[in-house]
Amino acid sequence: MKKTNDALKIIKRMIKEDPELQEMVRESSVNAQVSQIIYDARKQVAIGIVICF
């Protein structure tokens, strides 16, 4: 097996035979996306508050 330092390739190799681990990675990805959306929304609200004052 060829060595790599690409994190995504390493994760894909680790989970390719484990459906439970694949589901955990999918859930984590969704959670990260939702967290980013919430962060961006809060940041926009904070910017709006600063501009109003």
Side-chain angles (χ1 to χ4, degrees), residues 5-44:
N5 61 359
D6 183 324
L8 290 176
K9 287 181 181 178
I10 293 168
I11 290 170
K12 285 179 183 179
R13 270 191 220 151
M14 291 171 60
I15 69 170
K16 72 178 175 182
E17 300 293 326
D18 189 340
E20 186 176 335
L21 196 52
Q22 290 173 4
E23 181 59 27
M24 289 172 60
V25 169
R26 276 192 288 276
E27 285 181 27
S28 295
S29 178
V30 169
N31 288 341
Q33 291 172 6
V34 169
S35 297
Q36 186 65 51
I37 291 167
I38 292 169
Y39 171 79
D40 292 342
R42 287 180 176 171
K43 191 173 169 184
Q44 287 297 333

